[in-house]
């Protein structure tokens, strides 16, 4: 692959499942080597579908896809050796140890197969040793995976994907099941792979962690790409915006939505039985007027919270749908040990 060629180039890429359900509406996408991209969207938005298309696990029903300079068509074994894919479900050889599982995956990716000069900074054995230690699996690396907890299996899956000498790294919900140390290790290793020239693409609905590692964000909703922009541009669009939440001791007799919406600086109002949520384009300045109006209407205020909005609020503004939080992992709490 030429150093200037995109890692991903999609034109009109779309997928309709055999059932007739749309998995992904046609989209155009170009991702360069070294980019870190996060795909955000609620469950069922098409995040995993897009990742599986990029992993060649699914074949598109519309459009074209070129990965690492190779069109996706015909035999895919050679192309797949250039892609590291960690799906949302760990798959391991249970009787083998963690180290043995990682070594098997590494053996499937020959070094510098195309002679194009792509290389990682540390040898295979040293890199694997470093990753096992970073994800706190070094003490359990000689233990059969059948004895691993859910969180440990997730960590091992990431070790396997991040240790491969590939130009494209695909991670589906990579932070699910990780303890804080695992999240920190993931952040460091994603940056390392990007620095080596690999494009790193992650799917997630865990918006709290995105600003710490994303350079670019894709918003997917109902299979449609609704936003594709650098993270800083998206955060800049939120500048000056504030969310004001007011809890009432009891609900008001009639809805104050119309009156609240007419206040200066108020963009959006949501009224629940005992809560008023207001999105402001003028920082916290509408707060005094909000409180005065509610008191005048007979409201008794229990609590007031003022906060800066995030990517979840922007997604809600664009789609009217909230981003779900990542569910608890099955099989135990995060960070379980042997």
């Amino acid at each position: 692959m030429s150093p200037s060629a995109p890692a991903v180039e999609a034109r009109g890429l779309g997928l309709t499942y055999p059932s007739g359900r749309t998995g992904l509406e046609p989209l155009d996408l170009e991702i360069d080597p070294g980019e870190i991209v996060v795909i955000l969207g609620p469950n069922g938005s098409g995040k995993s579908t897009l990742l599986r298309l990029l992993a060649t696990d699914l074949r598109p029903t519309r459009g074209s896809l070129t990965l690492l300079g190779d069109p996706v068509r015909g035999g895919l074994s050679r192309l797949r050796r250039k892609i590291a894919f960690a799906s949302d479900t760990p798959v391991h050889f249970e009787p083998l140890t963690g180290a043995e599982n990682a070594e098997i995956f590494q053996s499937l990716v020959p070094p510098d197969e195309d002679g194009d000069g792509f290389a990682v900074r540390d040898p295979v054995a040293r890199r694997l040793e470093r990753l096992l230690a970073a994800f706190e699996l070094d003490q359990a690396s000689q233990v059969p995976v059948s004895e691993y907890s859910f969180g440990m299996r997730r960590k091992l899956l990431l070790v396997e994907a991040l240790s491969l000498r590939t130009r494209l790294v695909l991670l589906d919900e990579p932070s699910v099941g990780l303890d804080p140390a695992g999240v920190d290790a993931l952040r460091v290793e994603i940056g390392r792979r990007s620095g080596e020239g690999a494009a790193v693409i992650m799917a997630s609905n865990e918006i709290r962690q995105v600003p710490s590692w994303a350079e670019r964000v894709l918003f997917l909703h109902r299979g449609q790409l609704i936003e594709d922009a650098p993270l800083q541009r998206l955060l800049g669009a939120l500048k000056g915006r504030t969310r004001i939440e007011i809890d009432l001791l009891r609900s008001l007799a009639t809805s104050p939505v119309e009156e609240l919406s007419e206040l200066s600086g108020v963009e959006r109002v949501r009224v629940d039985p005992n809560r008023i949520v207001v999105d402001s384009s003028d920082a916290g300045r509408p707060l005094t007027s909000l409180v005065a109006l509610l008191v005048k209407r007979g409201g008794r205020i229990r609590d007031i919270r003022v906060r800066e909005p995030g990517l979840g609020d922007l997604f809600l503004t664009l789609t009217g749908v909230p981003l779900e939080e990542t569910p608890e992992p099955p099989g135990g709490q995060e960070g379980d040990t042997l």
Side-chain angles (χ1 to χ4, degrees):
M1 183 182 80
S2 167
S4 60
V8 174
E9 189 172 8
R11 295 289 178 262
L13 182 69
L15 176 80
T16 300
Y17 285 103
S19 66
R21 181 177 69 87
T22 299
L24 192 71
E25 296 282 358
L27 59 79
D28 295 337
L29 183 64
E30 189 170 304
I31 297 174
D32 291 330
E35 274 199 277
I36 302 174
V37 179
V38 176
I39 309 167
L40 283 175
N43 294 334
S45 61
K47 303 188 303 296
S48 293
T49 297
L50 177 54
L51 271 194
R52 290 179 64 192
L53 284 167
L54 299 182
T56 72
D57 186 42
L58 292 175
R59 300 296 295 270
T61 55
R62 294 187 62 179
S64 63
L65 177 62
T66 299
L67 300 174
L68 306 171
D70 291 334
V72 176
R73 59 172 180 255
L76 297 173
S77 59
R78 179 173 172 273
L79 176 58
R80 284 173 173 166
R81 288 198 293 270
K82 302 179 183 180
I83 302 170
F85 177 40
S87 69
D88 57 352
T89 304
V91 179
H92 299 109
F93 298 101
E94 298 276 322
L96 302 184
T97 67
E100 288 169 339
N101 270 273
E103 290 166 1
I104 287 175
F105 279 94
Q106 285 190 328
S107 70
L108 300 177
V109 181
D112 200 19
E113 183 182 67
D114 295 328
D116 57 7
F118 178 70
V120 293
R121 295 172 182 150
D122 45 0
V124 174
R126 187 183 306 166
R127 184 167 64 255
L128 180 55
E129 181 181 359
R130 174 179 55 76
L131 283 166
L132 288 169
F135 284 93
E136 299 183 336
L137 289 177
D138 47 336
Q139 299 300 313
S141 63
Q142 302 306 317
V143 175
V145 172
S146 59
E147 299 180 18
Y148 278 26
S149 68
F150 175 82
M152 295 172 69
R153 291 166 190 253
R154 291 291 301 175
K155 288 181 177 181
L156 180 59
L157 181 68
L158 294 172
V159 167
E160 292 163 350
L162 293 168
S163 69
L164 299 180
R165 296 154 294 195
T166 61
R167 290 183 174 274
L168 183 58
V169 179
L170 308 173
L171 308 175
D172 198 353
E173 301 289 358
S175 62
V176 171
L178 298 189
D179 52 22
V183 173
D184 288 342
L186 176 63
R187 183 182 302 112
V188 170
E189 296 305 327
I190 286 172
R192 186 187 298 268
R193 295 297 289 114
S194 169
E196 293 170 346
V200 182
I201 307 171
M202 296 171 282
S204 178
N205 59 10
E206 179 49 84
I207 57 176
R208 293 170 296 182
Q209 295 163 358
V210 170
S212 66
W213 55 41
E215 298 173 346
R216 175 178 166 192
V217 174
L218 310 182
F219 279 159
L220 281 182
H221 178 52
R222 295 178 180 172
Q224 292 185 322
L225 179 62
I226 60 172
E227 186 63 88
D228 175 3
L231 175 65
Q232 292 307 313
R233 184 188 302 171
L234 293 175
L235 295 178
L238 300 172
K239 188 175 182 180
R241 298 178 182 272
T242 300
R243 172 158 291 185
I244 301 171
E245 299 177 354
I246 302 176
D247 292 339
L248 304 176
L249 290 173
R250 62 173 180 268
S251 59
L252 299 174
T254 58
S255 173
V257 170
E258 186 173 342
E259 292 173 87
L260 293 174
S261 299
E262 293 176 352
L263 295 177
S264 176
V266 171
E267 282 197 340
R268 180 188 178 106
V269 177
R270 187 177 79 244
V271 177
D272 296 329
N274 296 315
R275 174 177 295 180
I276 310 292
V277 180
V278 172
D279 291 330
S280 165
S281 60
D282 196 13
R285 291 184 180 85
L287 179 58
T288 302
S289 300
L290 287 169
V291 171
L293 191 151
L294 292 173
V295 170
K296 181 180 178 181
R297 291 283 304 271
R300 296 182 61 187
I301 296 175
R302 181 175 61 185
D303 190 24
I304 298 175
R305 296 176 299 281
V306 180
R307 67 175 181 84
E308 296 300 315
L311 291 174
D313 300 299
L314 180 58
F315 188 89
L316 179 63
T317 299
L318 292 171
T319 66
V321 175
L323 280 168
E324 295 105 340
E325 292 295 330
T326 302
E328 284 289 326
Q333 297 296 315
E334 295 183 3
D336 284 349
T337 56
L338 283 169

